[in-house]
Amino acid sequence: MTKLRAVLFDVDFTLCRPGPELSAERYGRIAARHGVTVDVSRYDEAREAAAVNLKRHPELLHDDTIWHRFTAEIFVRMGGPEEIASECATEIEQGWEMSANFELFEDALPVLAELRKADLRIGLVSNGIRDLKEFVAHHRLDVEVAVGSRAHGRVKPHPTIFQAALDQLDVLPRDAVMVGDSLEEDVEGARALGMRAILIDREERHPDVEERLTDLYGLPAALGLSRPA
């Protein structure tokens, strides 16, 4: 039986969520600066529809243009004109690069602290455009490694992005666990490399998944850690 040595975490919707500055109203404010009006009530529907059309790079390369098209499509589906969609998408994306625009879930820091007490190494593995080192510093996260897809060059579920974090931690896949909110990117990607993986299902969308938690508070017990005295 292997001994657990490290835990890797996804970032967005696992440890943190977008704050008010990244809400539907941001699309509305930027559209207004360009003299047009969008329907902010259509944001959730527009984002879901755009997500259906979102196509990863076939070789899982990190490609900023994919996310740019995704943002522009949301803008158009909210009623924004095509001719300024790209320009507005660029302004919207700038907000997603700022660590201060994200809020940690209340369970993030206490659970990271509990894992630390168990002498576990901790790393972050994220698809996205933010500077993860700046994010870690801003939110004062006690982690040793942060691997982002923009810097690494490939996105989850490509095995090399998980392996890059494990290599920096000097840990084998069988001695680590991946924790994230995406079945395909986090869970299936990590398992394909030989890691154990646990789904964080905060909105309870996947009740049939075997290793699943609805928040991080249950993670130490799921990892077999004893409760602090």
Side-chain angles (χ1 to χ4, degrees):
M1 185 172 176
T2 63
K3 175 177 170 54
L4 179 64
R5 298 181 59 210
V7 181
L8 302 184
F9 287 92
D10 168 57
V11 177
D12 293 350
F13 304 103
T14 298
L15 295 177
C16 72
R17 60 180 164 236
E21 268 300 305
L22 301 180
S23 66
E25 283 69 29
R26 180 174 179 81
Y27 284 77
R29 287 193 298 271
I30 288 173
R33 286 209 295 268
H34 289 264
V36 300
T37 301
V38 296
D39 185 351
V40 295
S41 71
R42 288 160 59 181
Y43 173 74
D44 289 338
E45 177 187 342
R47 185 177 175 84
E48 286 183 21
V52 171
N53 293 332
L54 185 65
K55 298 290 189 291
R56 284 198 190 91
H57 189 283
E59 296 176 7
L60 296 178
L61 296 175
H62 177 96
D63 186 345
D64 284 349
T65 64
I66 291 173
W67 296 106
H68 184 77
R69 289 195 299 269
F70 174 68
T71 305
E73 183 177 343
I74 294 172
F75 179 81
V76 170
R77 287 180 177 273
M78 291 172 69
E82 288 268 8
E83 54 268 25
I84 64 167
S86 181
E87 183 180 354
C88 289
T90 297
E91 293 182 44
I92 291 164
E93 288 163 357
Q94 288 168 354
W96 284 83
E97 295 185 16
M98 298 176 61
S99 298
N101 285 341
F102 290 81
E103 303 171 342
L104 294 180
F105 287 110
E106 64 175 13
D107 52 14
L109 293 179
V111 170
L112 289 179
E114 201 165 330
L115 300 187
R116 270 279 181 242
K117 289 176 184 174
D119 293 326
L120 292 173
R121 299 177 184 184
I122 301 173
L124 307 182
V125 183
S126 176
N127 292 347
I129 59 177
R130 284 199 309 290
D131 179 340
L132 274 192
K133 291 182 179 177
E134 195 276 331
F135 179 85
V136 166
H138 177 85
H139 289 287
R140 299 179 181 179
L141 299 178
D142 185 11
V143 303
E144 285 127 317
V145 169
V147 180
S149 61
R150 176 182 268 178
H152 176 69
R154 292 188 187 268
V155 298
K156 297 176 295 184
H158 199 279
T160 60
I161 190 167
F162 300 102
Q163 191 63 59
L166 294 174
D167 286 347
Q168 291 182 51
L169 292 170
D170 193 25
V171 172
L172 295 173
R174 66 171 182 263
D175 299 327
V177 172
M178 176 68 198
V179 179
D181 72 302
S182 170
L183 265 179
E184 182 180 2
E185 294 174 0
D186 301 316
V187 175
E188 294 174 7
R191 287 176 180 170
L193 190 63
M195 295 176 64
R196 180 185 173 194
I198 297 174
L199 179 72
I200 295 300
D201 187 17
R202 293 185 182 274
E203 297 186 4
E204 302 196 46
R205 293 178 175 176
H206 305 283
D208 298 331
V209 173
E210 187 176 347
E211 287 225 79
R212 180 185 76 106
L213 297 170
T214 55
D215 58 47
L216 291 176
Y217 287 124
L219 182 61
L223 299 178
L225 305 182
S226 57
R227 299 295 300 177

